[in-house]
Amino acid sequence: MTSPNTTQGAADPIQSYLDKGLRNYWYPVAPSWQVGDAPIGITRLGDQIVLWRDKEGKVRALEDRCPHRGARLSLGWNLGGSVACWYHGIEVDGGGTVVKVPAVSNCPLEGQQCVKSYPVEEHAGAIFLWFGDDAHKEPAPLKLPDELVGDEYANFVCMSNWKCNYQYAIDNVMDPMHGAYLHATSHSMAEGDKQADMRVRKTETGLMFEKIGQRDVNFDWVELGETGALWMRLAIPYQKKFGPGGSFGIVGFAVPVDENNCQVYFWRARKVSGWQRDAWRFLYRNRLEGLHWAVLEQDRYVLESMAPNAREHEFLYQHDVGVTRVRRMLRQRAQQHFAELDAYREQAAGAASATSATGHSHA
Ligand code: FES
Ligand SMILES: [Fe+2]
């Protein structure tokens, strides 16, 4: 079956891994407000996950599958430190250990850590999970861009569900040229040249992709960073009437849901403090947020209606160098993950055969 807006598919294992979602990164998986007392079930990178808040307000994340018969734990009850399955009441704590099997006495499942748990952090109004593969179970430190941490910027997070593979969302942000066309009648991207030469340069954490000779007029540059998470950053100039704070900063994440769906997170930030911060927050809520949604909907509309397997039949040209470069980088990461997983498995197999040869379990 041909799936909409995916890429070459299963013939190429690297591409098929990429289509599901590149692991070994932190990803935002839900805005903070979405996770309250009741457990919720989500799908990200093809994994079914249950989230809930414990008594201290800390978010817990487990594979959404009861170790007894596989019911979804997200249908169950939040007991604070643990979640109880609705079906027969098994209680699993935030680390994935079965703490109670109430329907029988002395069940051997009790005390076993048999449900996968995800490391969780909460920042800037969103919940981030670490999606490590077997060779990367320990999370990398997560360092978010300045717009999302500290007091210098005031930000709002906006999340949207898009019916396309996340790689299309990345391509879209790594393509500043579309601003002058797709968003030509918007409040912020009507100005500037309709043509540009683009260049890519390396930065400390990734790369910068920019128009040569035009800056602070339209969507003129975008940066890709890799700091435990894969983020994109851009700034769009703002007219004075849109209040204090200079350019409008955007930090974006494309989060795989499954091969045909993704979530996009865009933090919208301005460098403002004191009364200016209040003024901006008021203006954003009352006027700007609606304008930005209209722009984002243009992106969604185009991406969701692209031809099935659009990436197999495309003709890229000069202003697509950012797109090409990022695709190459993602492919390299995928290849690297395959190699690291192979090495990890070889090592594990070696350790297992050494154990069976000596009869010792501590090889
Ligand atoms: S399936 Fe969860 S307790 Fe039986
Ligand atoms: Fe756009």
Side-chain angles (χ1 to χ4, degrees):
M1 196 188 83
T2 314
S3 23
N5 288 0
T6 50
T7 49
Q8 285 99 346
D12 170 4
I14 297 280
Q15 189 55 52
S16 116
Y17 165 56
L18 276 172
D19 287 351
K20 291 188 186 79
L22 200 53
R23 290 186 183 252
N24 308 327
Y25 288 122
W26 290 91
Y27 285 100
V29 298
S32 294
W33 57 261
Q34 223 169 40
V35 186
D37 273 351
I40 65 160
I42 60 172
T43 302
R44 303 286 180 267
L45 284 79
D47 293 0
Q48 295 190 327
I49 301 163
V50 52
L51 303 173
W52 79 95
R53 272 183 205 278
D54 68 16
K55 279 193 220 87
E56 282 74 48
K58 189 176 161 20
V59 175
R60 304 297 195 147
L62 293 179
E63 183 187 357
D64 193 7
R65 186 191 164 94
C66 177
H68 175 219
R69 296 249 320 277
R72 293 197 71 158
L73 291 169
S74 54
L75 299 175
W77 314 102
N78 178 359
L79 303 179
S82 61
V83 67
C85 180
W86 190 20
Y87 210 5
H88 317 91
I90 279 190
E91 295 169 23
V92 187
D93 73 11
T97 299
V98 175
V99 288
K100 198 169 172 189
V101 181
V104 287
S105 53
N106 303 321
C107 177
L109 205 52
E110 281 183 353
Q112 280 196 46
Q113 195 193 3
C114 50
V115 182
K116 181 184 168 175
S117 69
Y118 294 78
V120 185
E121 290 189 14
E122 197 163 356
H123 301 281
I127 292 150
F128 289 75
L129 300 191
W130 170 255
F131 288 83
D133 62 23
D134 284 351
H136 302 84
K137 285 179 187 148
E138 276 303 305
L142 172 60
K143 192 175 174 315
L144 292 167
D146 292 347
E147 287 85 347
L148 271 60
V149 288
D151 290 337
E152 230 184 334
Y153 290 85
N155 65 53
F156 293 92
V157 60
C158 139
M159 184 277 285
S160 188
N161 294 294
W162 287 0
K163 290 189 190 64
C164 67
N165 187 276
Y166 76 100
Q167 292 161 96
Y168 285 80
I170 294 180
D171 285 351
N172 181 59
V173 181
M174 294 311 291
D175 165 29
M177 201 65 232
H178 84 261
Y181 289 87
L182 179 62
H183 308 308
T185 58
S186 71
H187 65 299
S188 58
M189 283 174 273
E191 308 293 325
D193 211 327
K194 292 283 202 190
Q195 260 190 24
D197 277 330
M198 318 281 303
R199 73 169 163 225
V200 187
R201 64 184 162 85
K202 281 199 163 156
T203 62
E204 234 171 81
T205 57
L207 50 92
M208 169 72 88
F209 182 52
E210 60 202 342
K211 292 180 184 164
I212 300 169
Q214 179 174 301
R215 189 112 180 160
D216 299 333
V217 180
N218 197 297
F219 175 8
D220 294 329
W221 59 270
V222 59
E223 182 188 356
L224 180 97
E226 217 185 359
T227 53
L230 196 63
W231 48 262
M232 295 166 286
R233 165 159 59 186
L234 57 118
I236 292 180
Y238 246 20
Q239 298 162 28
K240 284 257 176 320
K241 67 175 177 187
F242 293 127
S247 290
F248 185 67
I250 298 179
V251 176
F253 295 78
V255 183
V257 170
D258 57 28
E259 279 155 302
N260 304 321
N261 294 277
C262 68
Q263 282 197 321
V264 292
Y265 288 76
F266 289 109
W267 272 266
R268 292 152 176 181
R270 292 188 96 179
K271 208 173 196 170
V272 274
S273 57
W275 70 267
Q276 291 195 327
R277 173 175 295 226
D278 298 337
W280 181 64
R281 294 190 79 88
F282 179 80
L283 204 58
Y284 181 84
R285 283 274 183 243
N286 286 282
R287 172 129 176 82
L288 301 174
E289 186 171 10
L291 296 173
H292 286 292
W293 269 112
V295 170
L296 201 57
E297 282 297 280
Q298 294 171 335
D299 293 301
R300 186 181 65 78
Y301 190 73
V302 166
L303 295 186
E304 289 188 351
S305 53
M306 274 165 82
N309 298 322
R311 282 168 49 145
E312 285 175 42
H313 305 280
E314 53 186 7
F315 189 99
L316 301 179
Y317 45 90
Q318 203 278 335
H319 75 58
D320 299 312
V321 287
V323 170
T324 317
R325 182 69 173 264
V326 170
R327 288 182 187 176
R328 199 185 334 142
M329 190 203 110
L330 297 182
R331 249 191 108 76
Q332 282 164 354
R333 290 293 171 277
Q335 275 156 344
Q336 191 185 327
H337 294 169
F338 274 39
E340 285 162 354
L341 263 175
D342 279 350
Y344 170 85
R345 285 182 187 135
E346 244 169 67
Q347 209 183 8
S353 66
T355 310
S356 63
T358 59
H360 293 305
S361 61
H362 55 267

